[in-house]
Amino acid sequence: MTGGTWFARFYDGETNRNKRKSLGDYGTLSGHEVFKQAKADAETWAATVESGGELARDMVTVKDACEAYLKDKPNPIAEGVFRRHVYDDPIAKVKLEKLRRHHLRSWRTRLEQAPAMLSRSKKGEKRWKLRAKSTVNRDMVPLRAALGKVIEQGRPGSDAAWQEALLPFRAADKPRDLYLGKGERTKMVNSACDEVRAFVKGMCLLPLRPGALASLKVREFNKRTHSLIIGQEKGKKPRQIVLPKGTADFFAKQVINKASEEAIFSRVNGKAWTKDTWKHPIKEAVVRAGLPEGVSAYTIRHSVITDLVRARLPILTVAQLAGTSVAMIERYYGHLVQEDAVDALASLDL
């Protein structure tokens, strides 16, 4: 065929369906060259269909997919997961067109067996613990998202169903029972080293995820209106909150002599805080303050949200401030509202 559009058709045994794709008209070629090029393109396309989806020409391996994902959606948490559990793992070199469920099952097993560091002493001694199911669930999310953007899900029950290997554990989240009162949070701030103290105080003043607080740029804080723009996180649109005067004054001190693109809360070297860099200074502050061993950056967030709920702030407002869903607030903090409801009903007793 010359002067028309070429089409390729492929029977996908995984889905039991024929797939059809337009290859174009190859207007710049002539004669046998047209058929030769169309045949090559059709074979290439058929190979990508068989692997579960269509891939970019420069995207070959799982590592390529992860890097492309970060380029499209920069995310320090995902970047950390890829760096710790993907790039140096055998899964990184697996070609996307060859990726199957057994590859990801093996990767998941290695992830589950990778010990999580609990603490590190000043002498350099490290203590480890088994990785919690909830942690495994969180660490699988970035890889599942990166692969989902470039390859289609395979037929359920088949080895092409790569997505099945990354299904989260059910009921893995533990009750959030560690809580720090305002006095304990103040003690923690005072026990923190000079470098991390402002970052810890920032977590005590706002119910933000540590990563969201760490990623705040100077340009996102308006000293005149006392407003703060929280960048995109967890797929949600950026949001703006208005700070009380005391909190706004604290933020104003953090941005003095900093350029608009610098982090509001930065380390001595000028770089923003990350999970890998705030973890140990916070652990040290916990020890010096005499707080429970399991206290972490997320314990502060949980404690702040708890106080807002106990202050009877509408759950919708709490969810908006925290950058999460009403369903999440109800799931983990709904019992606090129920307790307040009991107290309110008791006040009606004659």
Side-chain angles (χ1 to χ4, degrees):
M1 175 178 175
T2 305
T5 301
W6 285 73
F7 288 88
R9 187 174 66 183
F10 174 81
Y11 176 74
D12 187 358
E14 295 290 345
T15 62
N16 295 321
R17 293 180 179 178
N18 282 313
K19 294 193 176 185
R20 193 166 180 262
K21 178 181 176 64
S22 171
L23 301 177
D25 59 11
Y26 299 101
T28 59
L29 302 178
S30 60
H32 183 67
E33 292 178 339
V34 176
F35 176 80
K36 184 178 180 181
Q37 187 61 52
K39 180 175 181 292
D41 290 348
E43 290 173 345
T44 299
W45 171 70
T48 61
V49 172
E50 187 176 23
S51 70
E54 294 186 48
L55 311 175
R57 290 181 181 275
D58 59 348
M59 196 177 300
V60 178
T61 65
V62 170
K63 183 178 181 180
D64 293 335
C66 293
E67 292 176 340
Y69 178 77
L70 289 177
K71 185 176 181 180
D72 183 51
K73 292 185 175 181
N75 185 315
I77 294 178
E79 182 179 3
V81 170
F82 294 153
R83 185 178 64 254
R84 292 188 298 271
H85 303 298
V86 176
Y87 292 158
D88 293 330
D89 186 271
I91 195 72
K93 296 181 180 179
V94 176
K95 292 185 177 181
L96 292 168
E97 63 182 19
K98 300 293 185 180
L99 185 66
R100 293 294 184 266
R101 184 174 56 184
H102 70 270
H103 293 121
L104 290 166
R105 279 180 172 171
S106 297
W107 174 81
R108 178 172 179 157
T109 298
R110 292 191 292 273
L111 178 67
E112 293 173 7
Q113 295 175 349
M117 189 161 68
L118 184 62
S119 64
R120 179 168 57 189
S121 68
K122 292 182 179 179
K123 296 180 180 180
E125 181 183 355
K126 298 178 181 180
R127 297 176 58 205
W128 306 87
K129 65 177 180 179
L130 293 176
R131 187 171 297 274
K133 290 183 177 179
S134 58
T135 303
V136 174
N137 283 351
R138 287 193 294 271
D139 287 344
M140 289 192 297
V141 169
L143 182 57
R144 187 166 62 235
L147 295 177
K149 286 184 68 67
V150 296
I151 55 178
E152 296 177 357
Q153 296 188 1
R155 182 165 60 88
S158 68
D159 197 39
W162 61 268
Q163 72 280 359
E164 294 181 348
L166 301 180
L167 291 175
F169 287 111
R170 292 186 178 182
D173 291 326
K174 297 179 179 179
R176 304 180 181 185
D177 50 3
L178 272 180
Y179 166 80
L180 300 180
K182 191 173 181 179
E184 291 175 307
R185 299 199 296 269
T186 299
K187 190 175 181 180
M188 185 173 176
V189 170
N190 294 335
S191 299
C193 65
D194 292 341
E195 184 179 29
V196 80
R197 184 174 297 124
F199 181 63
V200 174
K201 184 173 181 178
M203 285 190 286
C204 293
L205 295 176
L206 295 172
L208 304 181
R209 295 180 180 84
L213 186 72
S215 64
L216 290 174
K217 299 287 195 295
V218 172
R219 59 176 168 76
E220 294 169 324
F221 171 62
N222 190 314
K223 290 186 287 187
R224 184 178 62 82
T225 62
H226 291 184
S227 61
L228 183 67
I229 296 177
I230 313 299
Q232 182 177 353
E233 57 172 336
K234 296 245 176 178
K236 298 182 181 295
K237 295 181 179 179
R239 64 191 189 280
Q240 178 175 295
I241 61 177
V242 178
L243 307 177
K245 186 179 184 306
T247 302
D249 290 343
F250 169 72
F251 270 74
K253 291 181 181 179
Q254 308 310 311
V255 302
I256 294 176
N257 298 325
K258 288 185 177 180
S260 63
E261 292 301 316
E262 289 187 66
I264 293 178
F265 298 96
S266 57
R267 302 174 60 200
V268 172
N269 59 11
K271 296 183 179 180
W273 288 97
T274 65
K275 182 179 179 180
D276 292 334
T277 56
W278 77 55
K279 183 175 182 179
H280 302 303
I282 287 180
K283 287 291 185 183
E284 292 171 356
V286 168
V287 173
R288 283 194 291 267
L291 300 174
E293 184 177 359
V295 170
S296 66
Y298 273 88
T299 304
I300 301 176
R301 169 175 156 87
H302 164 65
S303 301
V304 172
I305 293 176
T306 297
D307 284 358
L308 292 177
V309 173
R310 292 312 302 261
R312 300 186 180 181
L313 191 66
I315 285 183
L316 175 59
T317 304
V318 176
Q320 290 172 337
L321 289 173
T324 189
S325 65
V326 170
M328 194 285 285
I329 297 295
E330 290 178 337
R331 172 194 273 181
Y332 294 108
Y333 305 94
H335 65 284
L336 301 176
V337 178
Q338 292 174 355
E339 292 172 7
D340 289 341
V342 170
D343 293 339
L345 289 174
S347 70
L348 300 177
D349 190 19
L350 299 178

PDB file of all heavy atoms in Angstrom, residues 37 114 169 333:
ATOM      1  N   GLN A  37       9.795  -0.463   6.787  1.00  0.00           N
ATOM      2  CA  GLN A  37       9.683   0.363   7.979  1.00  0.00           C
ATOM      3  C   GLN A  37       8.389   0.073   8.746  1.00  0.00           C
ATOM      4  O   GLN A  37       8.375   0.012   9.976  1.00  0.00           O
ATOM      5  CB  GLN A  37       9.731   1.850   7.607  1.00  0.00           C
ATOM      6  CG  GLN A  37       9.782   2.799   8.817  1.00  0.00           C
ATOM      7  CD  GLN A  37      11.010   2.569   9.675  1.00  0.00           C
ATOM      8  OE1 GLN A  37      12.128   2.552   9.165  1.00  0.00           O
ATOM      9  NE2 GLN A  37      10.802   2.354  10.963  1.00  0.00           N
ATOM     10  N   ALA A 114      14.434  -6.087  54.291  1.00  0.00           N
ATOM     11  CA  ALA A 114      15.431  -5.036  54.553  1.00  0.00           C
ATOM     12  C   ALA A 114      15.176  -4.442  55.930  1.00  0.00           C
ATOM     13  O   ALA A 114      14.087  -3.932  56.200  1.00  0.00           O
ATOM     14  CB  ALA A 114      15.336  -3.947  53.479  1.00  0.00           C
ATOM     15  N   PHE A 169      -0.423  -4.523  52.060  1.00  0.00           N
ATOM     16  CA  PHE A 169      -0.935  -5.345  53.148  1.00  0.00           C
ATOM     17  C   PHE A 169      -2.218  -4.697  53.663  1.00  0.00           C
ATOM     18  O   PHE A 169      -2.309  -3.473  53.777  1.00  0.00           O
ATOM     19  CB  PHE A 169       0.066  -5.410  54.298  1.00  0.00           C
ATOM     20  CG  PHE A 169       1.285  -6.248  54.025  1.00  0.00           C
ATOM     21  CD1 PHE A 169       2.528  -5.654  53.881  1.00  0.00           C
ATOM     22  CD2 PHE A 169       1.179  -7.622  53.937  1.00  0.00           C
ATOM     23  CE1 PHE A 169       3.660  -6.430  53.644  1.00  0.00           C
ATOM     24  CE2 PHE A 169       2.309  -8.413  53.694  1.00  0.00           C
ATOM     25  CZ  PHE A 169       3.542  -7.809  53.550  1.00  0.00           C
ATOM     26  N   TYR A 333      -8.863   9.826  64.192  1.00  0.00           N
ATOM     27  CA  TYR A 333      -9.149  10.780  65.275  1.00  0.00           C
ATOM     28  C   TYR A 333     -10.634  10.871  65.607  1.00  0.00           C
ATOM     29  O   TYR A 333     -11.037  11.647  66.471  1.00  0.00           O
ATOM     30  CB  TYR A 333      -8.616  12.172  64.898  1.00  0.00           C
ATOM     31  CG  TYR A 333      -7.148  12.160  64.548  1.00  0.00           C
ATOM     32  CD1 TYR A 333      -6.728  12.031  63.222  1.00  0.00           C
ATOM     33  CD2 TYR A 333      -6.174  12.248  65.537  1.00  0.00           C
ATOM     34  CE1 TYR A 333      -5.385  11.985  62.897  1.00  0.00           C
ATOM     35  CE2 TYR A 333      -4.824  12.215  65.219  1.00  0.00           C
ATOM     36  CZ  TYR A 333      -4.436  12.082  63.901  1.00  0.00           C
ATOM     37  OH  TYR A 333      -3.091  12.039  63.583  1.00  0.00           O
TER      38      TYR A 333
END
